[in-house]
Amino acid sequence: MRIPFVDLQAQYRSIQREIDDAMAAVIRDAAFIGTRENKYVRRFEEQFAGFLGAAHCIACANGTDAIELMLESIGVREGDEVIVPAHSWISTSEAVTAVRATPVFVDTLPGVFTIDPERIAERVTARTRAIIPVHLYGLPAEMDEILLVARRFGLRVLEDCAQAHGGTYRGRAVGTMGDAASFSFFPGKNLGAYGDAGAVVTGDAEIAERIRLVSNHGQVRKNVHACEGRNSRMDGLQAAVLLAKLPHLSQWTEQRIEHAQYYSSALADLPLQLPVVPQHSRHVFHIYSVLHDARERIGAELQQQDIATAVHYPNALPFLPPYAAGGQRGDYPFASATCRRQLSLPLYPEMTQEIQDTVIGALRRSLGATVKARA
Ligand SMILES: *Cc1c(COP(=O)(O)O)cnc(C)c1O
């Protein structure tokens, strides 16, 4: 049995009629482009804002643009610094560079992988404008402490929620705690479109209006340009897919959590570091991440049995070529150790117990061999 890392085809089969009908309607209406008048895009914005309990949602082309649009909307520009975790997907820091500001990296917390709030203060300078916490793998960052440091230094907080749709921190939805929040609907994300798509949510009407303007060529209405903007709109087809999928998200999230719990109980006796979920957080398991020194060997052995795994990510951001040359201070011990030891197991809502048992069996054999070889 070949086991993929995620199975988007299984999800499509489970809701095929809804998706096909939704896409056919957009094509019939020729509602392809997410201009202000596109009813599919506007309806998705309303429903996603409602799902989170946020005042405003502005759809855009992808999750990376969403971060860039947030930064632009609060006036981050050349010469400014923005604090980001040392361990994330490159979009988080790339968006900072895209507005000509400088990403400043902060190490992550051991075990939970999100930014260490206690290390933020030491990286704040007179140029620091904002912090971008990332709810990595689906686990909310430690927002109360982050918001406290932000208040102390007068910084904005922009949440990167690309991996955490539906997560909660002390009962609050991820995406509603900072000044604004970005989401990605890349197909493999917990809520995924059938192509690139993203959104910003915010409680701040000014941020919302600025992003609405900038993401659509600065147009107030047809041929009236209040400013120069750009083209970062969500396609009508993507909005229709997301509208069809949104009502299923809560159930899919429950299934992810159940599968994660099943892995964690079946792997508890192995010499693997398993995901830690603080009492106050709802982890939505975009990624089920384990740590082990021999992750390369384990991944290769699983691959030989047709079981896909992944690494998120093999290098901490400060050590990627575009940043390494800048001579970032510090050595980011926890982010580095994570990147060296991290392995992501297959996890998706439609996964059966039989599939999970196959993964678990292969992992147990792989680790049993290690124990024997060492004895
Ligand atoms: C996926 C992702 C993004 C960017 O999303 P795209 O839609 O692919 O541009 C940003 N941040 C994180 C942490 C992500 O995982």
Side-chain angles (χ1 to χ4, degrees):
M1 172 167 50
R2 195 187 72 82
I3 298 177
F5 186 67
V6 295
D7 190 347
L8 298 180
Q9 288 156 310
Q11 185 174 80
Y12 173 58
R13 285 193 296 272
S14 74
I15 51 168
Q16 186 164 356
R17 270 294 292 278
E18 294 157 62
I19 294 281
D20 291 356
D21 290 352
M23 293 185 85
V26 174
I27 297 168
R28 213 163 38 233
D29 291 351
F32 301 119
I33 301 297
T35 52
R36 283 189 189 237
E37 300 76 38
N38 189 301
K39 68 178 179 192
Y40 299 95
V41 178
R42 300 293 86 85
R43 200 181 298 154
F44 174 69
E45 289 176 337
E46 263 169 47
Q47 294 196 8
F48 195 61
F51 170 78
L52 294 172
H56 311 277
C57 171
I58 310 94
C60 65
N62 58 68
T64 310
D65 279 5
I67 306 172
E68 190 182 330
L69 288 162
M70 291 196 294
L71 289 163
E72 196 279 342
S73 77
I74 60 162
V76 173
R77 60 172 101 80
E78 194 158 5
D80 291 340
E81 294 176 358
V82 176
I83 289 176
V84 302
H87 182 212
S88 181
W89 172 242
I90 191 172
S91 296
T92 314
S93 47
E94 205 177 29
V96 174
T97 309
V99 297
R100 298 160 179 251
T102 305
V104 173
F105 300 102
V106 167
D107 204 10
T108 45
L109 286 164
V112 296
F113 313 120
T114 52
I115 193 166
D116 183 348
E118 288 194 7
R119 313 228 64 143
I120 292 175
E122 62 201 53
R123 303 307 305 271
V124 172
T125 72
R127 296 165 173 245
T128 312
R129 299 292 315 279
I131 307 170
I132 308 183
V134 180
H135 307 302
L136 200 74
Y137 303 152
L139 178 67
E142 293 304 313
M143 289 303 293
D144 279 350
E145 288 81 353
I146 293 166
L147 291 164
L148 214 63
V149 196
R151 199 166 315 135
R152 186 172 140 210
F153 293 103
L155 308 176
R156 300 287 208 132
V157 175
L158 308 173
E159 299 172 69
D160 180 345
C161 307
Q163 303 189 359
H165 318 67
T168 62
Y169 172 83
R170 298 190 194 279
R172 284 121 78 195
V174 150
T176 62
M177 293 174 276
D179 294 285
S182 61
F183 284 84
S184 166
F185 307 112
F186 178 86
K189 299 286 159 93
N190 287 23
L191 178 62
Y194 284 180
D196 280 306
V200 174
V201 301
T202 180
D204 184 320
E206 268 178 52
I207 291 179
E209 201 36 54
R210 177 73 191 167
I211 291 178
R212 201 168 284 298
L213 201 62
V214 171
S215 62
N216 187 27
H217 301 296
Q219 278 197 135
V220 188
R221 54 184 185 278
K222 200 169 174 67
N223 293 325
V224 180
H225 301 268
C227 61
E228 272 189 330
R230 51 183 295 193
N231 177 350
S232 182
R233 298 173 298 225
M234 181 188 284
D235 288 346
L237 285 168
Q238 304 309 339
V241 169
L242 293 169
L243 275 166
K245 283 190 172 194
L246 185 58
H248 299 280
L249 181 58
S250 296
Q251 193 208 326
W252 289 336
T253 303
E254 296 292 336
Q255 288 170 312
R256 285 179 182 275
I257 294 168
E258 271 171 38
H259 298 336
Q261 284 167 348
Y262 189 71
Y263 269 145
S264 289
S265 59
L267 303 173
D269 61 318
L270 297 181
L272 279 175
Q273 196 174 322
L274 302 177
V276 173
V277 187
Q279 278 287 325
H280 53 258
S281 288
R282 182 176 196 238
H283 189 326
V284 295
F285 287 99
H286 174 57
I287 302 282
Y288 186 89
S289 171
V290 301
L291 301 183
H292 193 281
D293 288 338
R295 72 106 186 273
E296 298 293 337
R297 178 183 61 74
I298 298 168
E301 286 178 10
L302 265 60
Q303 191 54 58
Q304 276 164 13
Q305 295 161 70
D306 263 349
I307 299 169
T309 58
V311 172
H312 298 90
Y313 301 92
N315 291 295
L317 292 176
F319 305 113
L320 292 178
Y323 309 113
Q328 287 287 339
R329 285 181 288 134
D331 56 359
Y332 314 97
F334 294 116
S336 303
T338 304
C339 292
R340 218 168 32 243
R341 306 177 65 223
Q342 196 276 339
L343 187 71
S344 307
L345 304 185
L347 190 140
Y348 48 91
E350 300 76 15
M351 191 174 212
T352 61
Q353 188 167 332
E354 189 194 359
I355 293 173
Q356 277 200 286
D357 285 337
T358 306
V359 178
I360 291 160
L363 256 176
R364 298 194 69 87
R365 279 193 301 279
S366 185
L367 286 160
T370 314
V371 173
K372 244 183 240 156
R374 280 190 187 157

